[in-house]
Amino acid sequence: MKFRAVMNDGINIKEFLNVISTFSRMQKNLIINVQPGKLLLQIESEAYDGQYLWCEIDATLRDGFFSEYLMDGIDTEHNQIYMTCLAASFLRALSYVRNNAVEYIKLKLIKTHMPCLAVEMSTTITNEQDVLTPKIQHAIPVTVVPRSEWNQYEIPLEVEYDLSIAMPTGKSLRGLLDKKKNLAPTVTLYATLNDELSLVVETEVVTVASHYRNLKCVPAHKPGPDADAYPTNLSEACCRVDTKKLAALFETINFYDVIMTANIRHEQALNIRFDMRQHAFVNYILPATNFE
């Protein structure tokens, strides 16, 4: 097995740090899935109850997120690598770039006395006499997942949704959900083809609704070859989810340039997708809860 990837774009490096930072606050364990055309990062999540969080980065474009990307999986038939590590350890290895510019970050799977993900970065330090380019290196212990256990980390890539609506700013939602999480354990999101999004919490004594208008809402794109053959006949879709879990996501995200979209499967699931630059995105799926 081999894996080597290099990032040398400053904004992509900061976005990568932000993804790891977000995931480390959501769960302690991080799963890294290396595939020939993409890199997936996901939390060791509560998949048993339908909650998933993952980031997918396209690795096919040399002018994309990675300037170099090489890998060999466990064999030709199963050309992938799954490994797990502590998200906090990964975050510490990247912490230097939070306040400092680096020329590149290199990720490489190595084996010393145990498998490790090596993180190397180079920076430039200038003083009155010399220009120094020291290298900073970390080795993060990882556990390589055997092929027999891969199915534990499968993520739902082919979920069908009914409506897809653009989201307001993360800052706006962060403040709103911070208030609503103290009112009720669940919040219901309503999307309509009239380009409206509503977030509603209900208690025994009060109903509090927040409305956003002029947000583009369309029937969701369905996966597969017949994606456009059976469009939804719904003009409105809604999903009730755990308020604290949704609020926790918006408390942790901190991306530079992102387009947020909510995909709703009526009364079943909510998907928030964060599209970043250079063909990378973060997906968060919450199942419906206590819908009556």
Side-chain angles (χ1 to χ4, degrees), residues 151-165:
N151 61 340
Q152 297 180 23
Y153 306 112
E154 290 181 354
I155 51 180
L157 300 175
E158 299 297 322
V159 178
E160 292 186 1
Y161 295 97
D162 295 301
L163 295 184
S164 178
I165 187 167

Side-chain angles (χ1 to χ4, degrees), residues 165-180:
I165 187 167
M167 295 284 280
T169 65
K171 183 178 180 180
S172 168
L173 290 169
R174 186 180 302 116
L176 184 66
L177 289 168
D178 186 56
K179 297 175 183 177
K180 291 187 182 296

Side-chain angles (χ1 to χ4, degrees), residues 236-290:
E236 176 180 299
C238 61
C239 186
R240 180 181 293 173
V241 298
D242 187 300
T243 313
K244 289 185 177 179
K245 289 182 178 179
L246 186 60
L249 176 70
F250 285 96
E251 287 171 1
T252 59
I253 60 168
N254 183 30
F255 302 130
Y256 283 93
D257 184 15
V258 68
I259 298 173
M260 294 190 298
T261 306
N263 300 298
I264 300 175
R265 184 165 186 173
H266 186 54
E267 300 184 0
Q268 294 186 50
L270 169 68
N271 164 231
I272 307 293
R273 175 170 166 138
F274 303 85
D275 281 285
M276 300 182 289
R277 64 198 302 266
Q278 303 291 3
H279 303 279
F281 63 86
V282 170
N283 253 336
Y284 186 50
I285 295 178
L286 273 177
T289 179
N290 297 329

Side-chain angles (χ1 to χ4, degrees), residues 107-161:
L107 307 175
K108 186 177 181 180
L109 181 61
I110 62 173
K111 186 173 182 179
T112 52
H113 61 285
M114 65 182 298
C116 289
L117 182 65
V119 179
E120 177 187 299
M121 59 193 77
S122 176
T123 186
T124 300
I125 299 175
T126 303
N127 57 29
E128 294 180 356
Q129 297 178 337
D130 302 299
V131 176
L132 306 176
T133 55
K135 291 182 180 180
I136 302 168
Q137 296 178 320
H138 298 269
I140 307 167
V142 299
T143 299
V144 177
V145 180
R147 172 70 184 88
S148 59
E149 298 178 13
W150 285 6
N151 61 340
Q152 297 180 23
Y153 306 112
E154 290 181 354
I155 51 180
L157 300 175
E158 299 297 322
V159 178
E160 292 186 1
Y161 295 97

Side-chain angles (χ1 to χ4, degrees), residues 57-232:
I57 303 174
D58 189 323
T60 61
L61 303 174
R62 292 289 74 84
D63 59 347
F65 224 88
F66 298 111
S67 57
E68 294 181 37
Y69 187 90
L70 301 170
M71 63 83 62
D72 284 318
I74 61 171
D75 56 46
T76 54
E77 183 180 357
H78 306 100
N79 192 22
Q80 297 186 47
I81 303 171
Y82 276 89
M83 49 187 160
T84 66
C85 69
L86 291 175
S89 298
F90 207 158
L91 184 61
R92 280 195 298 270
L94 296 171
S95 61
Y96 181 82
V97 306
R98 190 181 302 278
N99 299 309
N100 300 278
V102 296
E103 295 180 359
Y104 68 82
I105 286 183
K106 182 193 300 181
L107 307 175
K108 186 177 181 180
L109 181 61
I110 62 173
K111 186 173 182 179
T112 52
H113 61 285
M114 65 182 298
C116 289
L117 182 65
V119 179
E120 177 187 299
M121 59 193 77
S122 176
T123 186
T124 300
I125 299 175
T126 303
N127 57 29
E128 294 180 356
Q129 297 178 337
D130 302 299
V131 176
L132 306 176
T133 55
K135 291 182 180 180
I136 302 168
Q137 296 178 320
H138 298 269
I140 307 167
V142 299
T143 299
V144 177
V145 180
R147 172 70 184 88
S148 59
E149 298 178 13
W150 285 6
N151 61 340
Q152 297 180 23
Y153 306 112
E154 290 181 354
I155 51 180
L157 300 175
E158 299 297 322
V159 178
E160 292 186 1
Y161 295 97
D162 295 301
L163 295 184
S164 178
I165 187 167
M167 295 284 280
T169 65
K171 183 178 180 180
S172 168
L173 290 169
R174 186 180 302 116
L176 184 66
L177 289 168
D178 186 56
K179 297 175 183 177
K180 291 187 182 296
K181 72 180 182 182
N182 296 317
L183 292 175
T186 61
V187 58
T188 305
L189 282 79
Y190 293 87
T192 76
L193 290 178
N194 291 327
D195 297 340
E196 295 182 359
L197 175 69
S198 300
L199 285 78
V200 181
V201 295
E202 300 177 70
T203 70
E204 293 181 355
V205 296
V206 67
T207 297
V208 180
S210 303
H211 305 284
Y212 295 92
R213 295 182 173 85
N214 301 317
L215 300 172
K216 185 178 182 181
C217 182
V218 296
H221 176 76
K222 298 184 182 298
D226 299 325
D228 300 320
Y230 305 101
T232 181

